[in-house]
Amino acid sequence: MTLSDIPTGGKCMIVKVHGHGGFRHRILELGFVRGEVVCVLKNAPLRDPVEYEIMGTHVSLRHSEAAKIDVVSLSEEAHPDIDKDYHGTIEEHVRHEVEQLSKEITVALVGNPNCGKTSLFNYATGMREKVGNYSGVTVDSKIGTFYHRGYSIHLVDLPGTYSLTEYSPEELYVRDFLDNHELDVVLNIVNAANLERNLYLTTQLIDRNQPMVMALNMYDELQASGDRLDHEALGKLLGFPIVPVIARTGWGIDNVLEAVVQVYEGTATEMICHNPAHQHQHGPAVTHHIHINYGREMMAAIDEVKDLIKLNDDMRDVIHPRYLAIKLIEHDRTTMRMFEHCNNYSDIIAAADHYKEVFEKEYDEDITSVVSDLRYGFIRGALGETFTPAKHQQKTEMGYALDKVLTNRWLGFPILFCFMFLMFEVTFVLGAYPQEWIETGIAALGDLLREQMAPGMLTDLLVDGVLSGMGAVLVFVPQILLLFMFISVLEDTGYMARAAFIMDKLMHRMGLHGKSFIPYIIGFGCSVPAVLAARTLENPRDRILTIVTVPFVSCSARLPVYLLLVAAFFPHHQAVILLGIYLIGLAIAILTSLLLSRLRFKQQDNPFVMELPPYRIPTLRNTLIHTWDKAKEWLQRVSTIVLLASVIIWALGYFPHHENSTLATDNTETNTVAAESQQLENSYLGRFGKAIEPAFRPMGLEWRAGISLIAGCAAKEVIASSMAVLYGIDRYDDDNQETLATRLTTVTDADGNRLFTPLAAFCMMLFVLLYFPCISTLATIRKEIGRGWMWFSLLYSTTIAWLLATAVFQIGMLI
């Protein structure tokens, strides 16, 4: 609740004053501080401004200004939960509530990509968000709450951004968040090993004039390089505390949190931690706002535009006018749209346009370059006074030494290909051992259930429905874990960015951007974060093409189906076949991008600009945490969607149930199998499967495979579980240790013909690879690029899947 919400005659107690600059100081000087009681006296004849009484004096504020003051009402109606036996006054009760509310601090983490924001966020909050050594890991804001020195701190991890311009979704998202959320402190994370570039964003945050603390992350790398930084002196120059931190180990984070609390309380303490073993604090230093020196001419231009902005109280009190003036002179379209409702809009734009032309003519550069050069001039001046580089720079050579081999002109592609092949080979070889143990355990559990439970529908449901369906997917958990572990290593080492570097020229010729390869690699794990990772692409064309084609990259949900069919029909060439399937998906994605580039989008030569971070050795802790978190998410889907789908498919295949089948009277294995087959064909599921069978016959699949594919619409993991239920593993012999893989190689039709052949199995893998994404991915596509592209993805991918699978099967039959 804000002061503007209190009706005439009402009373309230102040919790917090927002705003900045002169407005905030003026309000505080008038007595609007925490814990003070305010009485609303009356509105002006035109309802604005409003007269208030505070500290025995009368003060008038506009509604827009009162809306910047958080309060708690003192009316009894606003506190119906007060105990009737409570003997204190309403004011005493509210004062206690105000004290509690004032102990909440909202902190925004802002920094460049790959500066360690999420590592600090994870350590401080205890959460396990994704951390990677490449840009674009955080694609949305994440909020974690923890407690420090009696305060409840809400930490918001924002996407990494190099600046607060409007060139990418991340930049606009961060700007919008800073503009429209009441933040108590901005925590600027800076990579100590790359100060000059990281401080560019800092200068923009300084212009916004928000309470700020800087966490100087990767401080160990700065020290190891031989460089020296007087962060105390730099903090005094910039006007806020600078605290050395090593986020991945947690060193210095407590000092950062202490600085955040002190800035929130109105003071700051400089932390001097030259040695991790000797952390101590120095005396207090009050934070102060500075104006970045852009030179005499630019400063005069900023002041003139700022004075015009100040005539609009609603704009002046929300965002600092100086920051807005700079953005207007830069011709920032988002900022210009903010002033369209202002009475002096034409004057503001005219002044901004005038100075834009003046500076572009004077410097012979576009205005963005002019302002950037002036910002870097200030940064170099500040570092010139506080930073001493090492005499012999070794950090760059050490951090990028592997590039001589891994991104070599001749070795780059073979190494990348070998790494991908190794990933699939290890997935099969190492994953096979625990897979056999899980299969044995599931079979033993099925036997135990049949022995201990009476024959009937409940036993059939548990064994044939739940256990068969879930077991068919759970046996592939080891392979899934290994795949996720490989992807995690790619992210943490920095090789993910090198893969994009290696692939850029090829992907550019195919209509895609080299950075699209990062979402593609992420897509090996799950298509949803892969679609979200496409936000790192600045150009809308590249973003749409990447999002539409990413689902062709085979995600982990499809992997159980591949592993099942490859193990059954291609036991001697498992890694080759699986790698081939993945490469086909990439080829279709590239061809689709090329087609859309020619037919839908004008070919544009978009620049390839991407940071190549130094290589880092991944920690075992992070790798295991990331692997488990991804696997846990996958298992949660198995325990919900797959379980539900397995039960539904079993029920549709069980009813209507015929107990007195003539074939079942002779209790031989052959007749029992025939009876079960007859029951399934006459069930609701069998009738539906027969109806849709003509659509799948051209690609060599019979109706049970077709139903499994239809069931996979919700989640691709359901396909394997559906096949286990439909092909009746453990349905007819308690002593039968047959797995689904061996069952598929032996199942026949009424004439004794095998229903599954290697060719049909390969065609099914092709269809699973290409047909439309799961519901979660489709919903994400709709959110990112619109409903039209979602329907295009659904219809186009399914058409391509059916045509290719049918063509391969028909040609294969002819051969």
Side-chain angles (χ1 to χ4, degrees):
M1 174 178 290
T2 66
L3 183 57
S4 64
D5 299 322
I6 304 299
T8 301
K11 287 187 177 182
C12 60
M13 187 174 292
I14 296 175
V15 177
K16 188 183 299 182
V17 177
H18 300 285
H20 54 77
F23 164 77
R24 179 179 171 84
H25 288 294
R26 185 171 70 253
I27 287 291
L28 295 176
E29 288 168 357
L30 290 173
F32 288 85
V33 295
R34 186 180 68 205
E36 287 298 326
V37 176
V38 181
C39 178
V40 183
L41 298 180
K42 62 178 181 289
N43 289 275
L46 297 178
R47 308 289 300 170
D48 205 9
V50 182
E51 183 179 348
Y52 300 96
E53 181 182 359
I54 184 170
M55 291 187 176
T57 61
H58 291 205
V59 178
S60 65
L61 297 176
R62 294 189 181 97
H63 280 289
S64 60
E65 296 169 333
K68 306 294 292 182
I69 304 174
D70 292 342
V71 300
V72 175
S73 174
L74 288 172
S75 67
E76 294 186 8
E77 293 79 8
H79 304 279
D81 55 334
I82 295 181
D83 190 342
K84 299 300 182 182
D85 296 329
Y86 176 71
H87 297 293
T89 64
I90 290 289
E91 184 173 323
E92 289 173 337
H93 172 81
V94 170
R95 191 170 299 281
H96 176 72
E97 184 178 344
V98 166
E99 287 298 322
Q100 295 301 116
L101 291 173
S102 65
K103 289 293 185 178
E104 294 186 1
I105 308 176
T106 302
V107 181
L109 289 178
V110 183
N112 284 190
N114 196 43
C115 69
K117 289 186 299 81
T118 306
S119 294
L120 189 147
F121 175 84
N122 287 347
Y123 195 95
T125 63
M127 297 177 69
R128 295 178 177 178
E129 293 299 340
K130 186 178 179 183
V131 178
N133 189 19
Y134 68 99
S135 65
V137 174
T138 306
V139 293
D140 210 338
S141 62
K142 304 175 181 70
I143 302 177
T145 300
F146 60 99
Y147 301 94
H148 178 78
R149 202 157 64 80
Y151 284 91
S152 176
I153 300 178
H154 308 290
L155 203 59
V156 184
D157 183 19
L158 295 173
T161 178
Y162 293 109
S163 69
L164 298 179
T165 56
E166 54 182 2
Y167 297 122
S168 72
E170 286 81 13
E171 292 171 346
L172 287 174
Y173 184 93
V174 173
R175 276 179 58 174
D176 180 72
F177 190 92
L178 295 176
D179 289 345
N180 298 305
H181 290 77
E182 297 292 353
L183 301 172
D184 297 307
V185 179
V186 172
L187 181 53
N188 180 208
I189 315 298
V190 168
N191 182 350
N194 196 348
L195 278 172
E196 186 173 341
R197 208 276 316 285
N198 276 242
L199 287 175
Y200 185 87
L201 175 61
T202 303
T203 61
Q204 293 180 313
L205 295 173
I206 290 173
D207 286 330
R208 294 183 60 87
N209 190 18
Q210 292 176 289
M212 189 156 68
V213 173
M214 178 185 291
L216 195 62
N217 193 25
M218 305 179 193
Y219 194 66
D220 54 334
E221 294 185 15
L222 174 72
Q223 293 180 313
S225 69
D227 296 340
R228 291 294 175 263
L229 175 70
D230 187 348
H231 62 270
E232 298 173 68
L234 183 61
K236 292 177 180 177
L237 283 173
L238 299 182
F240 48 79
I242 297 179
V243 186
V245 174
I246 306 174
R248 70 175 185 275
T249 64
W251 176 78
I253 291 181
D254 285 341
N255 291 339
V256 170
L257 300 179
E258 185 65 26
V260 166
V261 169
Q262 291 174 346
V263 167
Y264 174 72
E265 292 177 339
T267 62
T269 299
E270 294 176 304
M271 307 291 182
I272 303 178
C273 307
H274 297 296
N275 189 316
H278 303 287
Q279 302 185 33
H280 58 279
Q281 302 180 359
H282 268 246
V286 178
T287 60
H288 60 280
H289 176 59
I290 68 166
H291 284 176
I292 302 294
N293 187 355
Y294 293 106
R296 184 169 55 84
E297 295 86 357
M298 179 64 77
M299 298 285 275
I302 292 171
D303 287 340
E304 183 174 330
V305 178
K306 182 178 69 175
D307 290 340
L308 292 172
I309 293 173
K310 284 183 175 180
L311 299 176
N312 303 279
D313 295 327
D314 57 333
M315 298 300 300
R316 179 193 64 197
D317 295 336
V318 174
I319 305 173
H320 198 279
R322 189 170 191 273
Y323 169 77
L324 293 174
I326 295 169
K327 301 307 291 182
L328 287 171
I329 294 174
E330 287 183 294
H331 226 250
D332 184 272
R333 291 170 295 178
T334 303
T335 306
M336 294 173 73
R337 285 194 294 269
M338 294 170 60
F339 287 87
E340 290 178 349
H341 69 284
C342 297
N343 294 329
N344 64 339
Y345 171 74
S346 58
D347 295 336
I348 293 173
I349 299 303
D353 287 346
H354 168 71
Y355 285 113
K356 172 181 177 293
E357 294 175 4
V358 167
F359 290 117
E360 287 183 338
K361 183 177 181 180
E362 180 179 346
Y363 288 91
D364 195 25
E365 286 185 300
D366 64 272
I367 190 63
T368 303
S369 299
V370 173
V371 176
S372 296
D373 289 343
L374 294 173
R375 288 186 187 278
Y376 276 117
F378 171 81
I379 293 169
R380 294 187 188 102
L383 291 179
E385 298 182 33
T386 58
F387 180 77
T388 305
K391 293 182 179 180
H392 302 287
Q393 292 289 331
Q394 297 181 352
K395 60 178 181 180
T396 300
E397 295 180 4
M398 294 175 60
Y400 295 89
L402 291 176
D403 279 340
K404 295 179 180 179
V405 177
L406 297 182
T407 60
N408 181 272
R409 179 182 179 184
W410 305 108
L411 299 177
F413 268 108
I415 290 174
L416 177 61
F417 183 84
C418 289
F419 188 88
M420 301 300 290
F421 179 81
L422 177 66
M423 179 169 68
F424 295 121
E425 184 69 21
V426 170
T427 296
F428 272 111
V429 174
L430 293 184
Y433 298 104
Q435 181 181 2
E436 293 178 2
W437 306 333
I438 296 173
E439 287 176 344
T440 302
I442 291 174
L445 180 58
D447 292 342
L448 180 63
L449 288 175
R450 288 205 181 275
E451 291 174 2
Q452 299 297 322
M453 297 180 66
M457 186 176 70
L458 180 59
T459 302
D460 292 340
L461 169 62
L462 292 177
V463 178
D464 299 332
V466 176
L467 191 60
S468 293
M470 296 288 290
V473 179
L474 291 176
V475 293
F476 299 109
V477 168
Q479 284 94 338
I480 299 293
L481 285 170
L482 288 170
L483 178 65
F484 284 149
M485 184 174 293
F486 269 95
I487 294 175
S488 179
V489 170
L490 276 175
E491 295 171 348
D492 293 348
T493 58
Y495 187 69
M496 187 82 83
R498 271 66 182 189
F501 173 79
I502 293 168
M503 294 294 296
D504 177 63
K505 187 171 184 179
L506 175 62
M507 300 192 77
H508 181 65
R509 289 183 176 179
M510 297 299 179
L512 282 168
H513 196 283
K515 288 171 71 174
S516 301
F517 197 64
I518 292 177
Y520 278 18
I521 295 179
I522 296 173
F524 288 148
C526 180
S527 295
V528 172
V531 169
L532 293 174
R535 291 182 183 178
T536 58
L537 295 159
E538 292 83 2
N539 188 282
R541 168 192 175 275
D542 295 330
R543 196 155 54 247
I544 291 173
L545 289 177
T546 301
I547 289 174
V548 169
T549 56
V550 151
F552 291 123
V553 176
S554 196
C555 64
S556 61
R558 298 179 174 103
L559 189 58
V561 185
Y562 302 153
L563 296 174
L564 169 67
L565 297 175
V566 167
F569 296 97
F570 308 98
H572 303 298
H573 307 284
Q574 296 185 16
V576 174
I577 295 296
L578 187 61
L579 180 59
I581 288 292
Y582 277 74
L583 291 177
I584 290 172
L586 289 174
I588 295 297
I590 292 173
L591 291 174
T592 299
S593 174
L594 185 61
L595 180 66
L596 289 175
S597 297
R598 300 284 174 84
L599 300 180
R600 175 63 176 80
F601 298 100
K602 293 181 180 180
Q603 193 73 17
Q604 301 173 3
D605 187 17
N606 299 311
F608 179 75
V609 181
M610 185 183 70
E611 180 184 5
L612 293 177
Y615 289 99
R616 292 191 173 93
I617 299 175
T619 64
L620 180 62
R621 176 181 178 272
N622 279 343
T623 300
L624 293 178
I625 287 176
H626 298 161
T627 301
W628 169 243
D629 286 345
K630 294 171 186 175
K632 182 173 65 175
E633 182 180 352
W634 186 82
L635 287 170
Q636 287 172 344
R637 289 174 44 147
V638 170
S639 63
T640 54
I641 298 175
V642 174
L643 175 60
L644 179 62
S646 299
V647 172
I648 291 174
I649 290 174
W650 172 86
L652 291 174
Y654 192 84
F655 298 103
H657 194 62
H658 304 282
E659 293 286 355
N660 299 321
S661 173
T662 55
L663 288 171
T665 54
D666 182 5
N667 195 24
T668 64
E669 180 177 336
T670 302
N671 282 347
T672 303
V673 172
E676 294 290 347
S677 177
Q678 185 183 78
Q679 161 63 34
L680 186 59
E681 290 193 29
N682 292 328
S683 67
Y684 298 126
L685 193 64
R687 297 169 192 175
F688 174 72
K690 292 294 185 179
I692 64 171
E693 188 175 33
F696 295 94
R697 271 298 179 189
M699 64 181 78
L701 302 178
E702 51 110 26
W703 64 270
R704 282 174 286 192
I707 289 176
S708 300
L709 293 171
I710 296 295
C713 296
K716 297 300 183 288
E717 297 97 336
V718 174
I719 298 174
S721 63
S722 301
M723 293 177 72
V725 175
L726 290 168
Y727 287 100
I729 296 303
D730 287 334
R731 184 188 294 272
Y732 30 77
D733 189 354
D734 293 348
D735 297 325
N736 181 22
Q737 298 298 315
E738 184 180 32
T739 65
L740 179 56
T742 56
R743 174 69 175 148
L744 293 177
T745 61
T746 58
V747 65
T748 59
D749 59 17
D751 298 326
N753 299 316
R754 290 175 59 188
L755 293 178
F756 262 99
T757 63
L759 179 60
F762 185 77
C763 291
M764 185 171 183
M765 285 191 287
L766 282 179
F767 192 83
V768 171
L769 166 71
L770 301 175
Y771 87 121
F772 66 87
C774 67
I775 293 174
S776 299
T777 303
L778 288 173
T780 308
I781 292 174
R782 177 184 175 182
K783 177 183 175 183
E784 293 297 306
I785 55 176
R787 181 180 299 178
W789 285 110
M790 178 198 72
W791 283 108
F792 172 82
S793 178
L794 189 155
L795 298 174
Y796 173 79
S797 59
T798 305
T799 302
I800 290 295
W802 189 87
L803 290 174
L804 184 60
T806 298
V808 170
F809 183 78
Q810 297 299 328
I811 294 172
M813 291 298 292
L814 292 176
I815 295 176

